[in-house]
Amino acid sequence: MLGSGRRGIGQLALVRQRWRCDVRAIASKPDPSKPIHAVSVKKNVSVQDMHSDQLDTRHLVLPSTNPAWQVTTQSHFEVYANVPPDWTTALESLQVHWDWRFDNVLHLQCALTHFSRYFPNTHHLFPANRASNRSLEWLGDSVLNTCVASYLFQSYPTVQEGQLTQLRSALVNNVVLSQVAMDLALPSAMLLGDSITHAYDHDTALANTMKQTLHASVVEALVGAVLLDQGMVRAIEFANTRVLPKAIQYAKTKPWDPVSEIYRRANAHGFTIRFERYVHGSVYGGVSSRSLGPKLTTTST
């Protein structure tokens, strides 16, 4: 019997939590008739754990030729992801929409699956980070940035590095990439967990920011999926033809940022910009502490 007062409430909460875990364990119990890859997520890996064996350059350029990293199987989705019955049709429609076909659709499935899709009590049973877009986002972000950097370097041969960095940031960010995701029709095909799906039922600033982050992550994961599926050259081609043109288009329509424009024009004329907070009276207190806003000072370089 539960106790009374706060102790009783705490016990009740504990019982509810255990009940939820038990239900999840039953709902996500693996089917013994289906093969499961016995590889789980590793944590606390340090630089000391890195081996000194050098990968063949062919494996770096065309990862599909190296079986060592391929730990995700179709059975992981069948058992743990609760795949909707019409998802296969949705994936086919996406490839038609992009005019781009995956050799192994498993990579596309991983790119569109959020980590929250898998119950926490199953993460030790299979490589959930690889069967979702977590690792692919990390991989695709590097490829996309390389593609954009090469594009900017060749397009603006006389522009300094700081300006190139600003241009790259204007193209590769959550706001722009989330719009690219919408254009690629990615959100409707994403597999999300219940903890994330509720964000789509709200129109708050926090919910919209979360959705932008999710959608941008899928674009990066998609580029990473193409790399694993068809190699580095094709991944850069996908980024250059399916992502970059749309990113440029949407970046140009973003609201004007006056602060960035001031920095840009000042740097172009050899000035260094520094913003200071001007306070009426002494900096250490003085007559009044009423802030009168930012004070702009410039220094010639």
Side-chain angles (χ1 to χ4, degrees), residues 143-153 167-168 171-172 244:
V143 177
L144 182 57
N145 272 287
T146 299
C147 176
V148 172
S150 181
Y151 160 77
L152 293 173
F153 188 86
L167 291 174
R168 184 176 61 186
L171 295 175
V172 184
L244 184 55

Side-chain angles (χ1 to χ4, degrees), residues 29-240:
K29 186 177 180 180
D31 184 351
S33 65
K34 298 180 180 179
I36 301 297
H37 205 297
V39 178
S40 59
V41 178
K42 288 186 177 181
K43 298 181 179 179
N44 302 322
V45 178
S46 71
V47 67
Q48 302 301 327
D49 299 312
M50 297 176 64
H51 58 74
S52 57
D53 298 336
Q54 186 175 8
L55 281 178
D56 191 299
T57 303
R58 181 171 59 98
H59 294 336
L60 296 179
V61 177
L62 194 62
S64 60
T65 60
N66 180 16
W69 62 267
Q70 302 180 42
V71 295
T72 305
T73 66
Q74 192 65 45
S75 61
H76 294 145
F77 287 91
E78 296 173 359
V79 176
Y80 300 112
N82 190 23
V83 177
D86 59 342
W87 200 38
T88 301
T89 303
L91 299 182
E92 178 65 26
S93 299
L94 283 179
Q95 295 175 87
V96 173
H97 175 59
W98 306 331
D99 190 23
W100 191 285
R101 186 157 299 277
F102 275 75
D103 297 332
N104 185 354
V105 75
L106 180 65
H107 301 307
L108 177 57
Q109 291 177 309
C110 293
L112 293 172
T113 304
H114 192 264
F115 190 74
S116 64
R117 187 71 179 187
Y118 303 112
F119 289 125
N121 65 318
T122 65
H123 293 173
H124 67 286
L125 300 175
F126 71 111
N129 61 320
R130 290 296 177 92
S132 66
N133 57 23
R134 263 192 174 182
S135 296
L136 282 178
E137 175 193 351
W138 173 83
L139 181 64
D141 174 69
S142 300
V143 177
L144 182 57
N145 272 287
T146 299
C147 176
V148 172
S150 181
Y151 160 77
L152 293 173
F153 188 86
Q154 297 179 57
S155 300
Y156 302 95
T158 60
V159 173
Q160 296 182 355
E161 298 78 17
Q163 289 287 297
L164 293 176
T165 299
Q166 290 183 14
L167 291 174
R168 184 176 61 186
S169 298
L171 295 175
V172 184
N173 60 73
N174 287 346
V175 175
V176 169
L177 292 184
S178 65
Q179 292 179 297
V180 174
M182 299 292 289
D183 201 74
L184 294 174
L186 295 176
S188 60
M190 294 169 57
L191 294 188
L192 304 172
D194 293 338
S195 60
I196 301 297
T197 305
H198 73 277
Y200 287 82
D201 299 328
H202 300 82
D203 192 25
T204 63
L206 181 60
N208 291 333
T209 299
M210 179 185 295
K211 285 183 279 189
Q212 284 183 345
T213 302
L214 289 171
H215 297 166
S217 299
V218 174
V219 174
E220 294 173 334
L222 184 59
V223 175
V226 176
L227 168 62
L228 298 183
D229 189 63
Q230 300 170 14
M232 181 67 74
V233 174
R234 289 283 283 170
I236 292 180
E237 179 185 349
F238 184 88
N240 185 50

